[in-house]
Amino acid sequence: STNGNVDPHVHVERHTRVRQPAGPGRKDPTPYWAGAQFPPRGSTTPAPAPPKGPPMQPSTTYTQLTTIDRGPRDPATVPLIAIHTYECPRESGERALRSRASYQQASGTGSYTVLVSADGKSLRANDDNYTPCASLETGDRLGFHLSFLAYAADSRETWLRYDAQLREAARICAVWCRNHGHQVRRLSVADVQGRRARGFCSHGDISAAFRESTHTDPGPHFPWDMFLRYVREALNPTPSPEEDVMAADLNTRIKVAD
């Protein structure tokens, strides 16, 4: 027992928008537990066990796993979130994503962790615990590799026209940040070389760091400022106006005795 030998208990109040003293502004909270049964006297409900195993990997619209990979790895050891362009037109939809993944599989030319199409759909080609073939050996092993169906030569204005594509990629990257502690910032080439800092980089940064590739995607006009802003928003979503109104209307206060 707690609080001077008073058994643990809960106080529930329901108010109209703001808390107010007893009177007509208070609402009856009992309809919310109508039909609920009391547990047997003296019984306790154990807390749910924490989930076992690694964190859940980001969800994607589609999945088409490839065999073009470098084998298994521990996602917790991956410090980089690497951004790429596929070097193709801004294509949309399931067919485009599957076609691009199938080409890489059939040609053996590489693979990514996730592909994102122009209309904001995504396809997983490698599970997070497998190393893709996206930037040659060192960069492959160090990164989760996300590729936009786009060209590295695209202008900033072109990138910003495809807001759904940026937001879907940001949502996926936010889950990696949440699961594995990546900072929402673009790393320097020195950071990438050091292999310890956790954050975002480009394929071009990996090329400069390890000199195993000459690729420079996603190009000089990729809107890092807007993209990382979207990642932060996905990590800390703002309630919609409708959710704010619902919360204010309910405004239930639960007090747990110390």
Side-chain angles (χ1 to χ4, degrees):
S1 63
T2 60
N3 193 28
N5 292 323
V6 176
D7 288 337
H9 58 284
V10 175
H11 296 268
V12 179
E13 301 174 3
R14 184 184 174 211
H15 302 266
T16 302
R17 299 192 178 277
V18 295
R19 187 177 187 277
Q20 41 193 305
R26 288 196 177 187
K27 294 187 176 182
D28 181 8
T30 56
Y32 287 95
W33 56 80
Q37 296 181 347
F38 286 96
R41 187 171 182 80
S43 69
T44 59
T45 302
K52 296 181 179 180
M56 293 291 290
Q57 62 188 15
S59 63
T60 52
T61 317
Y62 314 108
T63 298
Q64 183 173 311
L65 298 180
T66 181
T67 59
I68 310 299
D69 61 66
R70 298 188 187 277
R73 65 178 177 185
D74 180 358
T77 65
V78 176
L80 305 178
I81 298 175
I83 303 302
H84 300 253
T85 50
Y86 193 101
E87 295 307 291
C88 69
R90 299 270 180 166
E91 300 167 324
S92 294
E94 179 178 6
R95 183 176 179 179
L97 287 164
R98 293 194 183 279
S99 175
R100 294 298 174 181
S102 295
Y103 172 79
Q104 289 190 303
Q105 173 70 43
S107 63
T109 51
S111 66
Y112 298 102
T113 310
V114 172
L115 295 165
V116 182
S117 61
D119 58 344
K121 301 296 190 296
S122 54
L123 180 143
R124 176 173 291 282
N126 278 286
D127 285 318
D128 288 355
N129 63 343
Y130 269 76
T131 302
C133 297
S135 61
L136 294 181
E137 186 171 356
T138 306
D140 291 346
R141 183 165 40 83
L142 294 175
F144 300 117
H145 293 269
L146 182 144
S147 184
F148 291 91
L149 300 193
Y151 287 113
D154 286 343
S155 68
R156 177 180 174 87
E157 290 72 24
T158 299
W159 279 105
L160 295 180
R161 283 204 301 270
Y162 293 92
D163 190 70
Q165 188 178 29
L166 289 170
R167 287 183 181 275
E168 173 65 358
R171 179 192 67 80
I172 291 165
C173 292
V175 179
W176 284 328
C177 291
R178 185 179 297 113
N179 285 351
H180 305 295
H182 294 84
Q183 295 181 317
V184 187
R185 69 180 180 96
R186 186 179 178 186
L187 302 175
S188 67
V189 171
D191 287 333
V192 174
Q193 286 176 319
R195 310 184 191 196
R196 296 178 65 85
R198 289 181 174 247
F200 290 74
C201 70
S202 68
H203 190 174
D205 295 331
I206 291 174
S207 297
F210 305 116
R211 302 192 180 279
E212 297 174 340
S213 167
T214 59
H215 290 199
T216 59
D217 51 302
H221 306 300
F222 181 75
W224 282 102
D225 55 340
M226 185 64 70
F227 177 66
L228 294 180
R229 177 183 141 191
Y230 286 167
V231 175
R232 294 186 190 97
E233 289 178 359
L235 279 168
N236 303 287
T238 302
S240 68
E242 293 79 8
E243 291 172 325
D244 283 338
V245 169
M246 291 174 62
D249 184 57
L250 179 59
N251 199 15
T252 301
R253 301 287 188 262
I254 298 179
K255 301 177 181 178
V256 180
D258 294 330

